[in-house]
């Protein structure tokens, strides 16, 4: 620009062009016309000024970068301290980043390495490497907060939420979230473009969580996290040493989880394979149990196909060697309507100790009457037929608002002799 600006104001003279006519005093008629040799002496001066400005900018680059970063942080309302280590054309390095109150920071990063992406156009933002970031959050009254970072993380926007178009390398990233339920620890590592191509590992640990009548101990999740076409996928095991929720207790539960979130986090689909060492609900018990769930959640609605199996079920009224169930669960977004359809199959149905004692007590109380031999025959027949009995049933359970209903199109319990011990059809039950 300097070259063109100065050159445009001076006309190059051809060496063969005659000199302008001289005045009587021996001077040219056009005093503004300078000797081309003298004109060319401007260029070294201009070049020296340009080189000097570039050199001044280069040697002052760290201070300029410091001023720019400080201005950006101030505009975002983030109190922060940091150290600029290196500023060059291909790499910028910042160390010891602390955001928030230094006594209780919201985020610390040991080192931030920003690479410059070179192409045919202007340089762009390349890979951002975060070395040992530490994030601290709080979850209280159902609300998650990361302190001074909240305006950035939970900012209102007309655009739907999505992964930012950044290339990230995360080295030993960790987070701690303190809540009324208990403390949650998170560790993550990985690298790649966040919307498409990120590959890493994610681990979550909660020694104890307690909320709304539910308690979990030694809860953990560990698996691979990947992104593709804006979707986030997690695949790995989720474990819990003990789970107790409103009278239902699971011991040594482990689930293989493979879940993918939609690009705008408004839907998900996946599969969960659960295995439990033991299960208890009130007076009922079950031994090892397995469950397979395939689900799709979109537009606030949930559809899940389930396949359950349990062994050694026992209650005071009856015992069952094994039981399986297969069907579909559907729910709307507000959970005002829930439909559960399924088929049941079981084997080895027998009287429980309480029911057996009750029949024996009734027969003893009716001793000397016609009812005594009848009750004794019923008790003996049930004991004999239950050795190889089979159970089959179809059902539809539904909740609509405050009304629960159960429809059993058919159900049958067949004894060892092949004769039915119980048969029913078109059973309907409704309650509020």
């Amino acid at each position: 620009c300097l070259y063109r600006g100065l050159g445009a104001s001076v006309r190059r003279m051809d060496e063969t062009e005659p000199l302008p006519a001289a005045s009587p005093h021996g001077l040219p008629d056009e005093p503004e016309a300078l000797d081309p040799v003298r004109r060319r002496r401007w260029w070294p001066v201009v070049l020296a000024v340009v080189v000097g400005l570039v050199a001044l900018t280069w040697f002052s680059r760290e201070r300029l970068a410091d001023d720019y970063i400080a201005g950006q942080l101030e505009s975002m309302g983030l109190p922060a301290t940091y150290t600029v280590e290196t500023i060059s054309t291909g790499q910028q390095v910042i160390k010891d980043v602390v955001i928030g109150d230094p006594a209780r920071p919201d985020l610390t990063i040991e080192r931030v390495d920003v690479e410059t992406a070179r192409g045919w156009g202007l340089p762009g933002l390349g890979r951002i490497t975060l070395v040992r970031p530490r994030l601290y959050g709080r979850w209280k009254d159902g609300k998650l907060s990361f302190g001074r970072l909240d305006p950035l993380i939970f900012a209102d926007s007309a655009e739907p939420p999505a992964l930012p178009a950044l290339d990230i390398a995360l080295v030993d990233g960790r987070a701690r979230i303190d809540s009324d339920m208990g403390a949650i620890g998170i560790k993550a590592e990985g690298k790649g473009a966040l919307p498409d191509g990120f590959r890493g590992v994610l681990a979550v640990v909660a020694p104890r969580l307690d909320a709304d009548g539910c308690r979990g101990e030694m809860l953990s999740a560990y698996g691979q996290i990947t992104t593709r076409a804006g979707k986030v996928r997690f695949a790995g095991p989720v474990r819990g040493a003990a789970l107790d929720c409103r009278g239902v207790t699971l011991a040594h539960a482990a689930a293989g989880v493979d879940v993918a979130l939609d690009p705008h986090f408004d839907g998900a689909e996946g599969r969960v394979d659960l295995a439990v060492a033991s299960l208890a609900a009130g007076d009922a018990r079950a031994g090892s149990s397995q469950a397979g769930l395939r689900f799709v959640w979109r537009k606030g609605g949930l559809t899940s196909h389930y396949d359950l199996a349990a062994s050694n079920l026992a209650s005071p009224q009856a015992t069952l060697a094994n039981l399986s169930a297969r069907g579909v669960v559907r729910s709307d977004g507000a959970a005002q309507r829930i439909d559960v359809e399924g088929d049941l199959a079981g084997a080895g149905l027998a009287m429980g100790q309480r029911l057996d004692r009750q029949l024996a007590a009734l027969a003893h109380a009716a001793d000397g009457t016609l009812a005594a031999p009848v009750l004794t025959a019923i008790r003996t027949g049930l004991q004999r037929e239950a050795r190889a009995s089979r159970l089959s049933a179809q059902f539809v359970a539904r909740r609509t608002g405050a009304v629960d209903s159960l429809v059993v199109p058919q159900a049958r319990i067949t004894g060892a002799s092949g004769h039915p011990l119980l048969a029913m059809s078109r059973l309907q039950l409704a309650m509020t």
Side-chain angles (χ1 to χ4, degrees), residues 39-341:
R39 288 200 312 269
R40 286 194 293 269
R41 292 175 183 173
W42 284 93
W43 301 115
V45 176
V46 173
L47 182 60
V49 172
V50 173
V51 172
L53 289 174
V54 172
L56 178 62
T57 303
W58 177 257
F59 289 111
S60 304
R61 63 191 185 279
E62 294 187 5
R63 182 179 58 80
L64 295 175
D66 191 5
D67 293 341
Y68 176 77
I69 296 172
Q72 292 295 313
L73 292 172
E74 184 178 356
S75 66
M76 292 186 293
L78 292 179
T81 60
Y82 55 89
T83 301
V84 177
E85 181 180 274
T86 302
I87 299 294
S88 66
T89 57
Q91 186 184 52
Q92 299 82 44
V93 179
I94 304 173
K95 299 193 311 179
D96 304 328
V97 179
V98 178
I99 295 179
D101 184 0
R104 296 196 58 175
D106 301 311
L107 174 65
T108 65
I109 309 176
E110 184 175 305
R111 176 187 173 98
V112 181
D113 189 337
V114 182
E115 298 178 6
T116 301
R118 296 182 177 88
W120 293 103
L122 294 174
L125 190 63
R127 171 161 292 178
I128 302 174
T129 302
L130 307 178
V131 180
R132 283 181 279 279
R134 301 292 185 262
L135 180 65
Y136 302 91
R138 289 157 292 280
W139 191 345
K140 188 174 183 180
D141 298 330
K143 184 178 181 181
L144 181 62
S145 173
F146 293 99
R148 303 301 292 266
L149 295 171
D150 286 353
L152 295 180
I153 299 176
F154 307 112
D156 294 332
S157 174
E159 298 294 329
L163 293 172
L166 296 174
D167 189 343
I168 295 291
L170 194 60
V171 180
D172 189 17
R174 303 191 186 190
R176 177 189 174 99
I177 299 177
D178 294 313
S179 69
D180 298 333
M181 301 179 296
I184 303 172
I186 304 172
K187 180 176 180 178
E189 289 190 350
K191 60 183 178 180
L194 286 182
D196 192 345
F198 184 87
R199 297 184 64 86
V201 294
L202 175 68
V204 182
V205 175
R208 182 185 177 92
L209 294 180
D210 193 345
D212 296 331
C214 297
R215 184 180 72 254
E217 296 181 358
M218 298 306 298
L219 306 176
S220 67
Y222 177 82
Q224 291 189 348
I225 184 167
T226 57
T227 62
R228 184 176 181 181
K231 289 187 175 183
V232 182
R233 180 183 178 186
F234 173 83
V238 177
R239 297 184 176 92
L243 299 173
D244 188 346
C245 190
R246 304 182 186 276
V248 179
T249 303
L250 286 73
H252 302 291
V257 177
D258 191 343
V259 178
L261 293 175
D262 288 350
H264 299 306
F265 311 129
D266 55 355
E269 59 182 308
R271 180 178 181 88
V272 178
D273 295 307
L274 175 67
V276 180
S278 63
L279 171 67
D283 294 334
R285 299 286 187 273
S288 60
S289 305
Q290 296 80 37
L293 304 174
R294 292 182 293 109
F295 70 91
V296 176
W297 170 63
R298 286 193 176 94
K299 297 181 180 180
L302 174 67
T303 300
S304 175
H305 296 263
Y306 65 88
D307 190 348
L308 314 177
S311 61
N312 300 324
L313 292 90
S315 72
Q317 288 74 30
T319 62
L320 192 60
N322 58 74
L323 176 68
S324 62
R326 179 178 299 177
V328 181
V329 178
R330 298 182 180 89
S331 173
D332 61 9
Q336 292 297 312
R337 181 181 178 91
I338 302 175
D339 293 337
V340 182
E341 301 177 12

Side-chain angles (χ1 to χ4, degrees), residues 376-390:
T376 301
I378 290 176
R379 181 187 177 203
T380 304
L382 289 176
Q383 291 175 342
R384 181 182 63 253
E385 292 289 323
R387 295 172 184 173
S389 62
R390 298 183 305 277

